[in-house]
Amino acid sequence: QVQLVESGGGLVQPGGSLRLSCAASAMFFSVYDMGWYRQAPGKQRELVARISSGGSTIYIDTVKGRFTISRDNAKNTVYLQMNSLKPEDTAVYYCNRATTPWSWGQGTQVTVSS
């Protein structure tokens, strides 16, 4: 059973930045494509950024140029650097495998508001 622990969320003003972290207990973490997802109130969970085992990255259009996903395989950790945050980025953020998800962690709340 893989455990995922997200952290780093909080309340930030529009234009601000946050860095999210996700520690995974998965063996062979480095072979998996990983992703950051978010779920806003009343909306479905969406994959906003993914990073392959080789380090290639893909982003949805609404975060491209503002968010950066990265990973440290030695620490079994994936990161999401979020800059120029907007109120519409407000959501609970989760990390998981970018293909077939494992069980979900508790997520970390990001609130962008003045």
Side-chain angles (χ1 to χ4, degrees):
Q1 181 79 358
V2 173
Q3 289 189 320
L4 299 163
V5 180
E6 299 93 347
S7 61
L11 172 64
V12 63
Q13 292 187 340
S17 298
L18 285 173
R19 188 190 193 212
L20 307 183
S21 299
C22 171
S25 67
M27 291 181 63
F28 310 116
F29 171 81
S30 63
V31 306
Y32 298 112
D33 292 0
M34 295 296 295
W36 278 97
Y37 301 72
R38 68 185 179 189
Q39 186 167 22
K43 294 188 177 182
Q44 288 193 334
R45 190 174 294 166
E46 63 175 345
L47 177 62
V48 298
R50 63 185 289 168
I51 184 166
S52 73
S53 57
S56 298
T57 57
I58 299 174
Y59 303 90
I60 59 172
D61 286 346
T62 51
V63 308
K64 203 173 293 184
R66 301 188 297 121
F67 289 11
T68 303
I69 188 171
S70 60
R71 65 192 299 163
D72 184 339
N73 291 330
K75 297 181 178 179
N76 276 24
T77 300
V78 61
Y79 304 97
L80 187 67
Q81 177 67 44
M82 305 187 296
N83 299 327
S84 302
L85 282 161
K86 304 176 180 180
E88 51 264 43
D89 295 318
T90 295
V92 180
Y93 284 71
Y94 304 86
C95 74
N96 212 316
R97 197 164 49 172
T99 53
T100 306
W102 296 303
S103 297
W104 295 94
Q106 83 287 351
T108 186
Q109 175 71 49
V110 171
T111 303
V112 185
S113 175
S114 55

Coordinates of all heavy atoms in Angstrom, one line a residue, residues 7-102:
S7 N 2.2 18.3 1.4 CA 2.4 19.4 2.4 C 2.7 20.6 1.6 O 3.1 20.6 0.4 CB 3.5 19.1 3.4 OG 4.7 18.9 2.7
G8 N 2.7 21.8 2.3 CA 3.1 23.0 1.7 C 2.0 24.0 1.3 O 2.3 25.1 0.9
G9 N 0.8 23.6 1.5 CA -0.3 24.5 1.1 C -0.5 25.6 2.1 O 0.2 25.6 3.1
G10 N -1.4 26.5 1.8 CA -1.7 27.6 2.7 C -2.5 28.6 2.1 O -3.0 28.5 1.0
L11 N -2.6 29.8 2.8 CA -3.3 30.9 2.2 C -2.3 31.9 1.7 O -1.3 32.3 2.4 CB -4.1 31.6 3.4 CG -4.8 32.9 3.1 CD1 -5.9 32.8 2.0 CD2 -5.4 33.5 4.3
V12 N -2.5 32.3 0.5 CA -1.6 33.2 -0.2 C -2.4 34.3 -1.0 O -3.5 34.0 -1.5 CB -0.6 32.5 -1.1 CG1 -1.3 31.7 -2.2 CG2 0.5 33.3 -1.6
Q13 N -1.8 35.5 -1.1 CA -2.5 36.5 -1.9 C -2.3 36.3 -3.4 O -1.3 35.6 -3.8 CB -1.9 37.9 -1.5 CG -2.3 38.3 -0.1 CD -1.9 39.7 0.2 OE1 -1.0 40.3 -0.5 NE2 -2.5 40.3 1.2
P14 N -3.2 36.8 -4.2 CA -3.0 36.7 -5.6 C -1.6 37.2 -6.0 O -1.2 38.3 -5.5 CB -4.1 37.5 -6.2 CG -5.2 37.5 -5.2 CD -4.5 37.4 -3.9
G15 N -0.9 36.5 -6.9 CA 0.4 36.9 -7.3 C 1.5 36.2 -6.5 O 2.7 36.3 -6.8
G16 N 1.1 35.6 -5.4 CA 2.1 35.0 -4.5 C 2.5 33.6 -5.0 O 2.1 33.1 -6.1
S17 N 3.4 33.0 -4.2 CA 4.0 31.7 -4.5 C 3.8 30.7 -3.4 O 3.8 31.1 -2.2 CB 5.5 31.8 -4.9 OG 5.6 32.7 -6.0
L18 N 3.8 29.4 -3.7 CA 3.9 28.3 -2.8 C 4.6 27.2 -3.4 O 4.6 27.0 -4.6 CB 2.5 27.8 -2.4 CG 1.6 28.7 -1.5 CD1 0.2 28.1 -1.4 CD2 2.2 28.7 -0.1
R19 N 5.2 26.4 -2.6 CA 5.9 25.2 -3.0 C 5.3 24.0 -2.3 O 5.4 23.9 -1.1 CB 7.4 25.2 -2.8 CG 8.2 24.1 -3.4 CD 9.6 24.0 -3.0 NE 10.4 23.2 -3.8 CZ 11.5 22.5 -3.3 NH1 11.8 22.6 -2.1 NH2 12.2 21.7 -4.1
L20 N 4.7 23.1 -3.1 CA 4.1 21.9 -2.5 C 5.1 20.7 -2.6 O 5.9 20.7 -3.5 CB 2.9 21.5 -3.2 CG 1.8 22.6 -3.4 CD1 0.6 22.0 -4.1 CD2 1.4 23.2 -2.1
S21 N 5.0 19.9 -1.6 CA 5.9 18.7 -1.6 C 5.0 17.5 -1.4 O 3.9 17.5 -0.7 CB 6.9 18.7 -0.4 OG 7.8 19.8 -0.5
C22 N 5.5 16.3 -1.9 CA 4.7 15.1 -1.7 C 5.7 14.0 -1.6 O 6.5 13.7 -2.4 CB 3.9 14.8 -3.0 SG 3.1 13.2 -3.0
A23 N 5.6 13.3 -0.4 CA 6.5 12.2 -0.1 C 5.7 10.9 -0.4 O 4.6 10.7 0.1 CB 7.0 12.3 1.3
A24 N 6.3 10.0 -1.1 CA 5.7 8.7 -1.5 C 6.4 7.6 -0.9 O 7.7 7.6 -0.9 CB 5.6 8.6 -3.0
S25 N 5.7 6.6 -0.4 CA 6.3 5.4 0.2 C 6.6 4.3 -0.8 O 7.1 3.2 -0.5 CB 5.5 4.9 1.3 OG 4.3 4.4 0.8
A26 N 6.3 4.6 -2.1 CA 6.4 3.5 -3.1 C 7.8 3.0 -3.3 O 8.8 3.8 -3.4 CB 5.9 4.1 -4.4
M27 N 8.0 1.7 -3.4 CA 9.2 1.2 -3.9 C 9.4 1.5 -5.4 O 8.4 1.6 -6.1 CB 9.2 -0.3 -3.7 CG 9.3 -0.8 -2.2 SD 9.3 -2.6 -2.0 CE 10.8 -3.0 -2.8
F28 N 10.6 1.6 -5.8 CA 10.9 1.9 -7.2 C 10.2 3.2 -7.7 O 9.7 3.2 -8.8 CB 10.5 0.7 -8.1 CG 11.0 -0.6 -7.6 CD1 10.2 -1.6 -7.2 CD2 12.4 -0.9 -7.5 CE1 10.6 -2.8 -6.7 CE2 12.9 -2.1 -7.0 CZ 12.0 -3.0 -6.6
F29 N 10.1 4.2 -6.8 CA 9.5 5.4 -7.1 C 10.0 6.0 -8.4 O 9.2 6.6 -9.2 CB 9.7 6.4 -5.9 CG 9.3 7.8 -6.2 CD1 8.0 8.2 -6.0 CD2 10.2 8.8 -6.6 CE1 7.6 9.5 -6.2 CE2 9.8 10.1 -6.8 CZ 8.5 10.4 -6.6
S30 N 11.2 5.9 -8.7 CA 11.8 6.5 -9.8 C 11.2 6.1 -11.2 O 11.4 6.8 -12.2 CB 13.3 6.4 -9.8 OG 13.7 5.0 -9.9
V31 N 10.6 4.9 -11.2 CA 10.1 4.4 -12.5 C 8.8 4.9 -12.9 O 8.3 4.7 -14.0 CB 10.1 2.8 -12.5 CG1 11.5 2.3 -12.1 CG2 9.0 2.3 -11.7
Y32 N 8.1 5.6 -11.9 CA 6.7 6.0 -12.1 C 6.6 7.4 -12.7 O 7.4 8.3 -12.2 CB 5.9 5.9 -10.9 CG 5.8 4.5 -10.3 CD1 6.4 4.1 -9.1 CD2 5.1 3.5 -11.0 CE1 6.3 2.8 -8.6 CE2 5.0 2.2 -10.5 CZ 5.6 1.9 -9.4 OH 5.5 0.6 -8.9
D33 N 5.7 7.6 -13.6 CA 5.4 9.0 -14.0 C 4.5 9.5 -12.8 O 3.5 8.9 -12.4 CB 4.6 9.0 -15.3 CG 5.4 8.7 -16.5 OD1 6.6 8.4 -16.3 OD2 4.9 8.7 -17.6
M34 N 4.8 10.7 -12.3 CA 4.0 11.3 -11.2 C 3.3 12.5 -11.6 O 3.7 13.2 -12.6 CB 5.0 11.6 -10.0 CG 5.6 10.3 -9.4 SD 4.4 9.2 -8.7 CE 3.8 10.2 -7.3
G35 N 2.2 12.9 -10.9 CA 1.5 14.0 -11.2 C 1.0 14.8 -10.0 O 0.9 14.2 -8.9
W36 N 0.7 16.0 -10.2 CA 0.0 16.8 -9.3 C -1.5 17.1 -9.8 O -1.6 17.5 -10.9 CB 0.6 18.2 -9.0 CG 1.8 18.1 -8.0 CD1 3.1 18.0 -8.3 CD2 1.7 18.1 -6.6 NE1 3.8 17.9 -7.2 CE2 3.0 17.9 -6.1 CE3 0.6 18.2 -5.7 CZ2 3.3 17.9 -4.7 CZ3 0.9 18.1 -4.3 CH2 2.2 18.0 -3.9
Y37 N -2.4 16.8 -9.0 CA -3.8 17.0 -9.3 C -4.4 18.1 -8.3 O -3.8 18.3 -7.3 CB -4.6 15.7 -9.0 CG -4.2 14.5 -9.8 CD1 -3.0 13.8 -9.5 CD2 -5.0 14.0 -10.8 CE1 -2.6 12.7 -10.2 CE2 -4.6 12.8 -11.5 CZ -3.4 12.2 -11.2 OH -3.0 11.1 -11.9
R38 N -5.5 18.6 -8.7 CA -6.2 19.5 -7.8 C -7.7 19.3 -8.0 O -8.2 18.9 -9.0 CB -5.9 21.0 -8.1 CG -6.3 21.5 -9.4 CD -5.8 23.0 -9.6 NE -6.2 23.6 -10.8 CZ -5.7 24.7 -11.3 NH1 -4.8 25.4 -10.6 NH2 -6.1 25.2 -12.4
Q39 N -8.4 19.6 -6.9 CA -9.9 19.5 -6.9 C -10.4 20.8 -6.2 O -10.2 21.0 -5.0 CB -10.4 18.3 -6.2 CG -11.9 18.1 -6.4 CD -12.3 16.7 -6.0 OE1 -11.6 16.0 -5.3 NE2 -13.5 16.2 -6.5
A40 N -11.1 21.6 -7.0 CA -11.8 22.8 -6.5 C -13.2 22.4 -6.0 O -13.8 21.4 -6.5 CB -11.8 23.8 -7.5
P41 N -13.8 23.2 -5.1 CA -15.1 22.9 -4.6 C -16.1 22.8 -5.8 O -16.2 23.6 -6.7 CB -15.5 24.1 -3.7 CG -14.1 24.6 -3.3 CD -13.2 24.4 -4.4
G42 N -16.9 21.7 -5.8 CA -17.9 21.5 -6.8 C -17.4 21.0 -8.2 O -18.1 21.0 -9.1
K43 N -16.1 20.8 -8.3 CA -15.5 20.4 -9.5 C -14.8 19.0 -9.4 O -14.5 18.6 -8.4 CB -14.5 21.5 -10.0 CG -15.1 22.8 -10.3 CD -14.1 23.7 -10.9 CE -14.7 25.1 -11.3 NZ -13.7 26.0 -12.0
Q44 N -14.6 18.4 -10.6 CA -13.9 17.2 -10.6 C -12.3 17.4 -10.4 O -11.8 18.5 -10.7 CB -14.1 16.5 -12.0 CG -15.5 15.9 -12.1 CD -15.6 15.0 -13.3 OE1 -14.9 15.0 -14.2 NE2 -16.6 14.0 -13.2
R45 N -11.7 16.4 -9.9 CA -10.3 16.4 -9.8 C -9.6 16.4 -11.2 O -10.1 15.7 -12.1 CB -9.8 15.2 -9.0 CG -8.4 15.2 -8.6 CD -8.1 14.0 -7.7 NE -8.8 14.0 -6.4 CZ -9.0 13.0 -5.6 NH1 -8.5 11.8 -5.9 NH2 -9.6 13.2 -4.5
E46 N -8.6 17.3 -11.3 CA -7.9 17.4 -12.6 C -6.4 17.2 -12.4 O -5.9 17.7 -11.4 CB -8.3 18.7 -13.3 CG -7.8 19.9 -12.6 CD -8.1 21.2 -13.4 OE1 -8.3 21.2 -14.6 OE2 -8.0 22.3 -12.7
L47 N -5.8 16.7 -13.4 CA -4.3 16.5 -13.4 C -3.8 17.8 -14.0 O -4.0 18.2 -15.1 CB -3.9 15.3 -14.3 CG -2.4 15.1 -14.5 CD1 -1.8 14.8 -13.2 CD2 -2.2 13.9 -15.4
V48 N -3.0 18.6 -13.2 CA -2.5 19.9 -13.7 C -1.1 19.8 -14.2 O -0.7 20.6 -15.0 CB -2.6 20.9 -12.6 CG1 -4.1 21.1 -12.2 CG2 -1.8 20.6 -11.3
A49 N -0.3 18.8 -13.7 CA 1.1 18.7 -14.1 C 1.6 17.3 -13.9 O 1.2 16.7 -13.0 CB 2.0 19.7 -13.3
R50 N 2.4 16.9 -14.8 CA 3.0 15.5 -14.7 C 4.4 15.5 -15.1 O 4.9 16.3 -15.9 CB 2.2 14.5 -15.5 CG 2.2 14.7 -17.0 CD 1.3 13.7 -17.7 NE 1.9 12.4 -17.7 CZ 1.2 11.3 -18.0 NH1 0.0 11.4 -18.4 NH2 1.8 10.1 -18.0
I51 N 5.2 14.6 -14.5 CA 6.6 14.5 -14.7 C 6.9 13.0 -15.0 O 6.5 12.1 -14.2 CB 7.5 15.1 -13.6 CG1 8.9 15.0 -14.0 CG2 7.2 14.4 -12.3 CD1 9.8 15.9 -13.1
S52 N 7.6 12.7 -16.0 CA 7.9 11.3 -16.4 C 9.0 10.8 -15.5 O 9.7 11.6 -14.8 CB 8.2 11.2 -17.8 OG 9.5 11.7 -18.1
S53 N 9.3 9.5 -15.6 CA 10.4 8.9 -14.9 C 11.7 9.6 -15.4 O 12.7 9.6 -14.7 CB 10.4 7.4 -15.1 OG 10.5 7.1 -16.5
G54 N 11.7 10.0 -16.7 CA 12.9 10.6 -17.2 C 13.0 12.1 -17.0 O 14.0 12.7 -17.4
G55 N 12.0 12.7 -16.4 CA 12.0 14.1 -16.1 C 11.3 15.0 -17.1 O 11.3 16.3 -16.9
S56 N 10.7 14.5 -18.1 CA 9.9 15.3 -19.0 C 8.6 15.8 -18.3 O 8.0 15.0 -17.5 CB 9.5 14.5 -20.3 OG 10.7 14.1 -20.9
T57 N 8.2 17.0 -18.6 CA 7.0 17.6 -17.9 C 5.9 18.0 -18.9 O 6.2 18.4 -20.0 CB 7.5 18.8 -17.1 OG1 8.1 19.7 -17.9 CG2 8.4 18.4 -16.0
I58 N 4.7 17.9 -18.4 CA 3.6 18.4 -19.2 C 2.6 19.2 -18.2 O 2.5 18.7 -17.1 CB 2.8 17.2 -19.8 CG1 3.7 16.4 -20.8 CG2 1.5 17.7 -20.5 CD1 3.0 15.2 -21.3
Y59 N 2.1 20.2 -18.7 CA 1.2 21.1 -17.9 C -0.1 21.4 -18.6 O -0.1 21.4 -19.9 CB 1.9 22.4 -17.5 CG 3.2 22.3 -16.9 CD1 4.4 22.2 -17.6 CD2 3.2 22.2 -15.5 CE1 5.6 22.1 -16.9 CE2 4.5 22.1 -14.8 CZ 5.6 22.0 -15.6 OH 6.8 21.9 -14.9
I60 N -1.2 21.6 -17.9 CA -2.4 22.1 -18.5 C -2.2 23.5 -18.8 O -1.3 24.2 -18.2 CB -3.6 21.9 -17.6 CG1 -3.5 22.6 -16.3 CG2 -3.9 20.4 -17.4 CD1 -4.8 22.6 -15.5
D61 N -2.9 24.0 -19.8 CA -2.7 25.4 -20.3 C -2.8 26.5 -19.2 O -2.1 27.5 -19.2 CB -3.7 25.7 -21.5 CG -3.3 25.0 -22.7 OD1 -2.1 24.5 -22.8 OD2 -4.1 24.9 -23.7
T62 N -3.8 26.3 -18.3 CA -4.1 27.3 -17.3 C -2.9 27.5 -16.3 O -2.9 28.5 -15.6 CB -5.4 27.0 -16.6 OG1 -5.3 25.7 -16.1 CG2 -6.6 27.1 -17.5
V63 N -2.0 26.6 -16.2 CA -0.9 26.7 -15.3 C 0.5 26.8 -15.9 O 1.5 27.1 -15.3 CB -0.9 25.6 -14.2 CG1 -2.2 25.4 -13.6 CG2 -0.4 24.3 -14.8
K64 N 0.5 26.6 -17.3 CA 1.7 26.6 -18.0 C 2.4 28.0 -17.8 O 1.8 29.0 -17.9 CB 1.4 26.4 -19.5 CG 2.6 25.8 -20.3 CD 2.1 25.4 -21.7 CE 1.2 24.2 -21.6 NZ 0.8 23.8 -23.0
G65 N 3.7 27.9 -17.5 CA 4.5 29.2 -17.3 C 4.4 29.7 -15.9 O 5.2 30.6 -15.5
R66 N 3.5 29.1 -15.1 CA 3.4 29.6 -13.7 C 3.8 28.5 -12.7 O 4.4 28.7 -11.6 CB 2.0 30.0 -13.4 CG 1.5 31.2 -14.2 CD 0.2 31.7 -13.8 NE -0.9 30.7 -13.9 CZ -1.6 30.3 -12.8 NH1 -1.4 30.7 -11.6 NH2 -2.6 29.4 -13.0
F67 N 3.5 27.2 -13.1 CA 3.8 26.1 -12.2 C 5.0 25.3 -12.8 O 5.1 25.2 -14.0 CB 2.6 25.1 -12.1 CG 1.4 25.7 -11.3 CD1 1.3 27.0 -10.9 CD2 0.4 24.8 -11.0 CE1 0.2 27.5 -10.2 CE2 -0.8 25.3 -10.3 CZ -0.8 26.6 -9.9
T68 N 5.8 24.7 -11.9 CA 6.9 23.8 -12.2 C 6.9 22.6 -11.4 O 6.9 22.7 -10.1 CB 8.2 24.6 -12.1 OG1 8.2 25.8 -12.9 CG2 9.4 23.7 -12.6
I69 N 6.8 21.5 -12.0 CA 6.8 20.2 -11.3 C 8.3 19.6 -11.4 O 8.9 19.8 -12.4 CB 5.8 19.2 -11.9 CG1 5.7 17.9 -11.0 CG2 6.1 18.8 -13.4 CD1 4.6 17.0 -11.5
S70 N 8.7 19.0 -10.3 CA 10.0 18.4 -10.3 C 10.0 17.2 -9.3 O 9.0 17.0 -8.6 CB 11.1 19.5 -9.8 OG 10.8 19.9 -8.5
R71 N 11.1 16.5 -9.3 CA 11.1 15.3 -8.5 C 12.5 15.1 -8.0 O 13.5 15.4 -8.7 CB 10.6 14.1 -9.2 CG 11.5 13.6 -10.4 CD 10.7 12.6 -11.3 NE 10.4 11.4 -10.5 CZ 9.5 10.5 -10.9 NH1 8.8 10.7 -12.0 NH2 9.3 9.4 -10.2
D72 N 12.6 14.5 -6.8 CA 13.9 14.0 -6.3 C 13.7 12.5 -5.9 O 13.2 12.2 -4.9 CB 14.2 14.8 -5.0 CG 15.6 14.5 -4.4 OD1 16.1 13.4 -4.7 OD2 16.1 15.3 -3.6
N73 N 14.2 11.7 -6.8 CA 14.0 10.3 -6.7 C 14.8 9.7 -5.4 O 14.3 8.7 -4.9 CB 14.5 9.5 -7.9 CG 13.6 9.8 -9.1 OD1 12.4 10.1 -8.9 ND2 14.1 9.8 -10.3
A74 N 15.8 10.3 -5.0 CA 16.6 9.9 -3.9 C 15.7 10.1 -2.6 O 15.9 9.4 -1.6 CB 17.9 10.6 -3.7
K75 N 14.8 11.0 -2.6 CA 13.9 11.3 -1.5 C 12.5 10.8 -1.7 O 11.6 11.1 -0.9 CB 13.9 12.8 -1.2 CG 15.3 13.4 -0.8 CD 15.2 14.8 -0.5 CE 16.5 15.4 0.0 NZ 16.5 16.9 0.3
N76 N 12.3 10.1 -2.8 CA 10.9 9.7 -3.1 C 9.9 10.9 -3.0 O 8.8 10.7 -2.5 CB 10.5 8.6 -2.2 CG 10.9 7.2 -2.7 OD1 11.9 7.1 -3.4 ND2 10.2 6.2 -2.3
T77 N 10.3 12.0 -3.5 CA 9.5 13.2 -3.4 C 9.3 13.9 -4.7 O 10.2 14.0 -5.5 CB 10.2 14.2 -2.4 OG1 10.3 13.5 -1.1 CG2 9.3 15.4 -2.2
V78 N 8.1 14.4 -4.9 CA 7.7 15.2 -6.0 C 7.3 16.6 -5.5 O 6.7 16.7 -4.5 CB 6.7 14.6 -6.9 CG1 5.4 14.4 -6.1 CG2 6.4 15.3 -8.2
Y79 N 7.6 17.7 -6.3 CA 7.4 19.0 -5.9 C 6.5 19.7 -6.9 O 6.5 19.4 -8.1 CB 8.7 19.8 -5.7 CG 9.7 19.2 -4.7 CD1 10.7 18.4 -5.2 CD2 9.6 19.4 -3.4 CE1 11.6 17.8 -4.3 CE2 10.5 18.8 -2.5 CZ 11.5 18.0 -3.0 OH 12.4 17.5 -2.1
L80 N 5.8 20.8 -6.4 CA 5.1 21.7 -7.4 C 5.4 23.1 -6.9 O 4.9 23.5 -5.9 CB 3.6 21.4 -7.4 CG 2.9 22.2 -8.4 CD1 3.3 21.7 -9.9 CD2 1.4 22.0 -8.3
Q81 N 6.2 23.8 -7.7 CA 6.4 25.2 -7.4 C 5.3 26.0 -8.2 O 5.2 25.9 -9.4 CB 7.8 25.6 -7.9 CG 8.1 27.1 -7.8 CD 8.2 27.5 -6.3 OE1 8.9 26.9 -5.5 NE2 7.6 28.7 -6.0
M82 N 4.6 26.8 -7.4 CA 3.5 27.6 -8.0 C 3.8 29.0 -7.8 O 3.9 29.5 -6.7 CB 2.2 27.2 -7.3 CG 1.9 25.7 -7.3 SD 0.3 25.3 -6.7 CE 0.4 25.8 -5.0
N83 N 3.9 29.7 -8.9 CA 4.1 31.2 -8.9 C 2.9 31.9 -9.5 O 2.1 31.3 -10.2 CB 5.4 31.5 -9.7 CG 6.6 30.9 -9.1 OD1 6.7 30.7 -7.8 ND2 7.6 30.5 -9.9
S84 N 2.9 33.2 -9.3 CA 1.8 34.1 -9.9 C 0.4 33.4 -9.7 O -0.4 33.3 -10.6 CB 2.1 34.3 -11.4 OG 3.3 34.8 -11.6
L85 N 0.2 33.0 -8.4 CA -1.0 32.3 -8.1 C -2.3 33.2 -8.3 O -2.2 34.4 -8.1 CB -1.0 31.8 -6.7 CG -0.2 30.5 -6.5 CD1 0.2 30.3 -5.1 CD2 -0.9 29.3 -7.0
K86 N -3.4 32.6 -8.8 CA -4.6 33.3 -9.0 C -5.7 32.7 -8.2 O -5.6 31.5 -7.7 CB -5.0 33.1 -10.5 CG -3.9 33.6 -11.5 CD -4.3 33.2 -12.9 CE -3.3 33.7 -13.9 NZ -3.7 33.4 -15.3
P87 N -6.8 33.4 -7.9 CA -7.9 32.9 -7.1 C -8.4 31.6 -7.7 O -8.8 30.7 -6.9 CB -8.9 34.0 -7.2 CG -8.1 35.2 -7.3 CD -7.0 34.9 -8.2
E88 N -8.4 31.4 -9.0 CA -8.9 30.2 -9.6 C -8.0 29.0 -9.4 O -8.3 27.9 -9.7 CB -9.2 30.4 -11.1 CG -8.0 31.0 -11.9 CD -8.1 32.5 -12.0 OE1 -8.5 33.2 -11.1 OE2 -7.8 33.0 -13.2
D89 N -6.8 29.2 -8.8 CA -6.0 28.1 -8.4 C -6.3 27.5 -7.0 O -5.8 26.5 -6.6 CB -4.5 28.5 -8.3 CG -3.9 29.0 -9.7 OD1 -4.2 28.3 -10.7 OD2 -3.2 30.0 -9.7
T90 N -7.3 28.1 -6.4 CA -7.7 27.6 -5.1 C -8.3 26.2 -5.2 O -9.2 26.0 -6.0 CB -8.8 28.6 -4.5 OG1 -8.2 29.8 -4.2 CG2 -9.4 28.0 -3.2
A91 N -7.8 25.3 -4.5 CA -8.2 23.9 -4.5 C -7.4 23.1 -3.5 O -6.5 23.6 -2.9 CB -7.9 23.3 -5.9
V92 N -7.9 21.8 -3.3 CA -7.0 20.9 -2.6 C -6.1 20.2 -3.6 O -6.6 19.7 -4.7 CB -7.9 19.8 -1.9 CG1 -7.0 18.8 -1.1 CG2 -8.8 20.5 -0.9
Y93 N -4.8 20.2 -3.4 CA -3.9 19.6 -4.3 C -3.4 18.3 -3.8 O -3.1 18.1 -2.6 CB -2.7 20.6 -4.4 CG -3.0 21.8 -5.3 CD1 -3.8 22.8 -4.9 CD2 -2.5 21.9 -6.6 CE1 -4.1 23.9 -5.7 CE2 -2.8 23.0 -7.4 CZ -3.6 23.9 -6.9 OH -3.9 25.0 -7.8
Y94 N -3.3 17.3 -4.7 CA -2.9 16.0 -4.4 C -1.8 15.6 -5.4 O -1.8 16.0 -6.5 CB -4.0 15.0 -4.6 CG -5.3 15.3 -3.9 CD1 -6.3 16.1 -4.4 CD2 -5.6 14.6 -2.7 CE1 -7.5 16.4 -3.7 CE2 -6.8 14.8 -2.0 CZ -7.7 15.7 -2.5 OH -8.9 15.9 -1.8
C95 N -0.9 14.7 -4.9 CA 0.0 14.1 -5.9 C -0.4 12.6 -6.0 O -1.0 12.0 -5.1 CB 1.4 14.2 -5.4 SG 1.9 13.1 -4.1
N96 N 0.0 12.0 -7.1 CA -0.3 10.6 -7.3 C 0.4 10.2 -8.6 O 1.0 11.0 -9.3 CB -1.8 10.3 -7.4 CG -2.2 8.9 -6.9 OD1 -1.5 7.9 -7.1 ND2 -3.2 8.9 -6.1
R97 N 0.3 8.9 -8.9 CA 0.9 8.4 -10.1 C 0.1 9.1 -11.2 O -1.1 9.2 -11.1 CB 0.7 6.9 -10.1 CG 1.6 6.2 -11.2 CD 1.7 4.7 -10.9 NE 0.5 4.0 -10.7 CZ 0.4 2.7 -10.6 NH1 1.5 2.0 -10.7 NH2 -0.7 2.1 -10.3
A98 N 0.7 9.4 -12.3 CA 0.1 10.1 -13.4 C -0.8 9.2 -14.3 O -1.6 9.7 -15.1 CB 1.1 10.8 -14.2
T99 N -0.6 7.9 -14.2 CA -1.4 7.0 -15.0 C -2.5 6.4 -14.0 O -3.4 7.2 -13.7 CB -0.5 5.8 -15.5 OG1 0.3 5.3 -14.4 CG2 0.5 6.4 -16.5
T100 N -2.4 5.2 -13.7 CA -3.4 4.7 -12.7 C -3.1 5.1 -11.3 O -2.1 4.6 -10.8 CB -3.4 3.1 -12.8 OG1 -3.6 2.7 -14.2 CG2 -4.6 2.6 -12.0
P101 N -3.9 5.9 -10.7 CA -3.6 6.4 -9.4 C -3.6 5.3 -8.3 O -4.3 4.3 -8.4 CB -4.7 7.4 -9.1 CG -5.2 7.8 -10.4 CD -5.1 6.5 -11.2
W102 N -2.7 5.5 -7.3 CA -2.8 4.7 -6.1 C -3.9 5.3 -5.2 O -4.6 6.2 -5.6 CB -1.4 4.8 -5.3 CG -0.3 4.2 -6.1 CD1 -0.1 2.9 -6.5 CD2 1.0 4.8 -6.3 NE1 1.1 2.7 -7.1 CE2 1.8 3.9 -7.0 CE3 1.5 6.1 -6.1 CZ2 3.1 4.2 -7.4 CZ3 2.8 6.4 -6.5 CH2 3.6 5.5 -7.2

